[in-house]
């Protein structure tokens, strides 16, 4: 019995020591966890205090010699060039040179885009004002300079410049298309027909259809599809231009090697024109008969009763003279003269927004939207009467690659049956006017 008592006492002592040891370990773990949490809270408070101090210095324009360790996104060099120079010292000519529009048009654009571009301040950083976001993007579209150059100029990160360009282009297409890039009304169609006759000498016409090639960097896939007839890589766009030099319809995002006739035949413009949507009711009278208004197009398009193109000028093998009759030659001369409206509009577009005249290093997911945005901005500036400087046009004409020339569509299989008869009416008109 004495041995049993001793054994029980020993077991009780061992159990007590084990429980005490476990309680001490748990208490130590709790103390260590509390200390770690206390240090984390202290560090978070310290970092938040640093951020608040940095934001206060940026917002208040305070220069400090204190070196503060910050995260990489807070080390962007600060610049007051936008606030101090642009907003206070820029003259009207400066606004035109740098942003390609007047100061009034600039702030009008900012107000229109504010619902899409406005951002909220956070506890980590202050949001860029809408005006500065628009200025960054316009500078890129107007000059096509590198992101890092604009980044240094405006005191923002390169990723911010890229984001500003993308956001503004999408906002312009979403908010301003219904105002500046929409189908014309019946009154606008009649006005354009009168202006085509008055300015360009071509009757019963409302718009000219043309193509625009925008140079791009080599795509990651299917690069050969983007090689245009001139041999360089591009994105192909189709535009319809009114007599005032405004864009009524734009189809962008096609590889440069695409046949323009295929783009046109699959576009909404083709469907609208074929159904008579570009002519008022009742049908206007031309040369004594009802005839819908027509479009003018390049030689690469099929001839339609509503789409006039030049007669193919084939040279006789035995003689140097043209095989065309005098009325046909006169028609071709008048057509080429009228097509200058689209040539001049596209030249002004590329001169005002030089991202379209130089090689565009943006991705293919951005370029089509950028082209649409530039066309809308062109219409907005022209509608607001903003000055276009001839120097821009001279600079682009000397620097840019010539636009490729598309092959003449000689096949008549896609021509409309009565299209030749309609073209003959225009020959008769010009013949009468010439006598």
């Amino acid at each position: 019995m004495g041995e049993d008592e001793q054994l029980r006492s020993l077991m009780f002592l061992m159990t007590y020591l084990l429980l005490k040891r476990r309680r001490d370990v748990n208490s130590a773990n709790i103390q260590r966890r509390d200390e770690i949490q206390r240090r984390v809270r202290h560090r978070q408070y310290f970092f938040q205090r640093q951020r608040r101090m940095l934001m206060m210095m940026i917002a208040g324009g305070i220069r400090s010699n204190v070196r503060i360790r910050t995260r990489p996104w807070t080390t962007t060099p600060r610049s007051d060039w936008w606030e101090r120079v642009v907003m206070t010292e820029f003259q009207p000519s400066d606004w035109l040179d740098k942003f390609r529009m007047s100061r009034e048009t600039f702030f009008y654009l900012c107000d229109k885009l504010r619902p899409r571009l406005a951002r909220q301040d956070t506890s980590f950083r202050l949001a860029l004002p809408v005006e500065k976001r628009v200025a960054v993007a316009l500078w890129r579209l107007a000059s096509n300079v590198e992101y890092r150059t604009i980044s240094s100029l405006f005191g923002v990160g390169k990723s911010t410049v890229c984001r500003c360009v993308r956001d503004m282009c999408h906002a312009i297409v979403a908010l301003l298309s219904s105002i500046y890039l929409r189908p014309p009304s019946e009154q606008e169609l009649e006005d354009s027909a009168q202006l085509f006759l008055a300015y360009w000498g071509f009757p019963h016409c409302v718009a000219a259809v043309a193509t625009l090639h925008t140079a791009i960097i080599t795509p990651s896939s299917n690069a050969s599809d983007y090689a245009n007839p001139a041999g360089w890589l591009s994105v192909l766009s189709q535009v319809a231009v009114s007599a005032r030099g405004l864009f009524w319809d734009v189809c962008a995002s096609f590889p440069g090697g695409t046949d323009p006739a295929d783009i046109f035949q699959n576009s909404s413009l083709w469907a609208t024109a074929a159904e008579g949507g570009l002519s008022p009711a009742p049908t206007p009278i031309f040369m004594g008969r009802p005839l819908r208004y027509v479009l003018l197009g390049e030689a690469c398009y099929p001839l339609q009763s509503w789409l006039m193109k030049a007669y193919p000028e084939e040279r006789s093998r035995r003689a140097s003279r043209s095989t065309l009759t005098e009325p046909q030659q006169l028609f071709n001369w008048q057509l080429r003269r009228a097509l200058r409206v689209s040539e001049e509009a596209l030249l002004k577009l590329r001169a005002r927004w030089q991202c379209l005249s130089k090689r565009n290093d943006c991705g293919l997911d951005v370029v089509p939207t950028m082209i649409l945005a530039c066309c809308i901005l062109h219409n907005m500036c022209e509608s607001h009467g903003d000055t276009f400087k001839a120097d821009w046009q001279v600079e682009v004409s000397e620097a840019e690659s010539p636009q490729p020339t598309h092959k003449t569509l000689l096949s008549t299989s896609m021509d409309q049956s009565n299209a030749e008869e309609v073209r003959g009416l225009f020959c008769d008109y010009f013949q009468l006017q010439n006598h």
Side-chain angles (χ1 to χ4, degrees):
M1 291 295 293
E3 292 181 358
D4 291 341
E5 288 291 337
Q6 290 178 355
L7 184 58
R8 269 197 301 271
S9 298
L10 182 60
M11 291 179 63
F12 178 79
L13 179 62
M14 293 293 294
T15 302
Y16 170 77
L17 292 175
L18 288 173
L19 291 175
K20 185 176 183 301
R21 175 61 179 171
R22 181 180 297 177
R23 186 172 60 252
D24 293 342
V25 169
N26 289 341
S27 177
N29 288 338
I30 292 173
Q31 290 179 359
R32 189 179 299 109
R33 185 169 62 247
D34 291 343
E35 177 64 18
I36 292 174
Q37 291 177 350
R38 187 188 67 79
R39 292 182 180 181
V40 168
R41 287 194 301 270
H42 178 75
R43 183 170 298 179
Q44 288 176 343
Y45 170 78
F46 179 72
F47 283 150
Q48 289 173 0
R49 183 170 176 270
Q50 285 185 331
R51 293 191 192 103
R52 284 195 297 269
M53 290 175 61
L54 184 63
M55 291 300 103
M56 289 173 60
M57 286 191 293
I58 293 176
I62 301 173
R63 296 187 179 274
S64 174
N65 294 324
V66 179
R67 185 176 181 84
I68 302 177
R69 295 179 59 190
T70 60
R71 290 188 179 183
W73 59 262
T74 63
T75 60
T76 303
R78 177 183 169 275
S79 171
D80 62 352
W81 175 82
W82 163 255
E83 294 82 0
R84 182 177 57 83
V85 178
V86 177
M87 297 299 288
T88 60
E89 299 180 9
F90 257 32
Q91 300 300 313
S93 60
D94 297 322
W95 284 93
L96 284 174
D97 283 334
K98 304 307 181 185
F99 301 113
R100 296 304 200 252
M101 61 183 64
S102 66
R103 179 187 175 97
E104 294 74 19
T105 302
F106 174 85
F107 284 102
Y108 166 84
L109 176 64
C110 293
D111 289 340
K112 287 293 185 181
L113 301 184
R114 199 174 303 279
R116 282 288 187 108
L117 297 185
R119 300 290 185 269
Q120 296 292 327
D121 294 340
T122 69
S123 57
F124 298 103
R125 65 180 113 183
L126 298 175
L128 282 181
V130 171
E131 291 77 13
K132 192 169 184 177
R133 292 169 63 85
V134 172
V136 167
L138 288 179
W139 198 287
R140 165 67 176 176
L141 298 186
S143 63
N144 201 41
V145 298
E146 295 180 340
Y147 286 148
R148 62 181 177 183
T149 303
I150 304 175
S151 169
S152 300
L153 186 63
F154 284 88
V156 297
K158 287 189 292 185
S159 61
T160 302
V161 176
C162 181
R163 190 163 52 250
C164 286
V165 173
R166 179 183 287 105
D167 290 349
M168 189 192 75
C169 289
H170 282 289
I172 288 173
V173 174
L175 299 177
L176 300 183
S177 293
S178 59
I179 303 175
Y180 295 106
L181 192 64
R182 55 174 178 75
S185 64
E186 289 192 357
Q187 185 59 51
E188 288 172 331
L189 289 170
E190 294 177 359
D191 292 344
S192 188
Q194 293 175 7
L195 291 175
F196 256 106
L197 179 59
Y199 292 169
W200 307 102
F202 207 102
H204 217 68
C205 167
V206 293
V209 183
T211 56
L212 169 66
H213 284 269
T214 304
I216 58 171
I217 58 176
T218 304
S220 57
S221 60
N222 302 321
S224 60
D225 294 343
Y226 291 86
N228 58 42
W232 41 280
L233 303 181
S234 64
V235 166
L236 177 59
S237 305
Q238 170 193 287
V239 299
V241 184
S242 72
R244 296 184 182 275
L246 302 179
F247 298 104
W248 277 355
D249 183 86
V250 179
C251 290
S253 81
F254 297 94
T258 310
D259 185 353
D262 291 339
I263 297 176
F264 195 9
Q265 288 179 301
N266 290 282
S267 68
S268 59
L269 178 63
W270 178 285
T272 301
E275 295 170 359
L278 294 181
S279 195
T283 304
I285 303 298
F286 179 68
M287 294 294 287
R289 56 174 283 184
L291 182 68
R292 294 172 177 172
Y293 285 141
V294 300
L295 304 177
L296 305 182
E298 300 174 0
C300 57
Y301 295 128
L303 183 68
Q304 303 290 303
S305 62
W306 47 267
L307 176 64
M308 295 291 101
K309 71 172 189 175
Y311 289 95
E313 297 191 26
E314 299 178 358
R315 295 285 178 179
S316 173
R317 294 182 179 180
R318 296 184 179 180
S320 60
R321 61 183 177 84
S322 172
T323 58
L324 298 181
T325 64
E326 182 181 342
Q328 291 173 341
Q329 292 178 12
L330 182 59
F331 173 87
N332 282 3
W333 183 84
Q334 292 285 0
L335 180 71
R336 284 194 296 269
R337 180 174 178 237
L339 284 176
R340 283 171 49 196
V341 67
S342 58
E343 296 172 3
E344 292 182 3
L346 288 173
L347 185 55
K348 290 179 72 173
L349 174 73
R350 299 194 301 273
R352 180 175 263 132
W353 310 113
Q354 295 192 15
C355 64
L356 305 183
S357 66
K358 304 174 184 177
R359 192 180 72 167
N360 196 311
D361 57 3
C362 292
L364 289 177
D365 58 327
V366 179
V367 173
T369 307
M370 184 179 293
I371 295 171
L372 284 171
C374 289
C375 290
I376 293 172
L377 289 173
H378 167 89
N379 285 355
M380 183 188 71
C381 292
E382 291 292 309
S383 300
H384 287 217
D386 288 348
T387 302
F388 178 86
K389 292 191 175 183
D391 295 346
W392 305 340
Q393 193 164 315
V394 172
E395 180 182 350
V396 170
S397 299
E398 294 175 349
E400 72 166 341
S401 301
Q403 287 286 301
T405 302
H406 295 281
K407 292 182 179 180
T408 301
L409 182 62
L410 298 176
S411 173
T412 60
S413 59
M414 292 185 291
D415 291 357
Q416 205 170 3
S417 57
N418 62 334
E420 194 60 61
E421 179 186 355
V422 173
R423 187 160 61 175
L425 286 177
F426 284 95
C427 288
D428 295 341
Y429 171 86
F430 292 127
Q431 192 73 1
L432 290 173
Q433 295 295 314
N434 200 36
H435 289 296

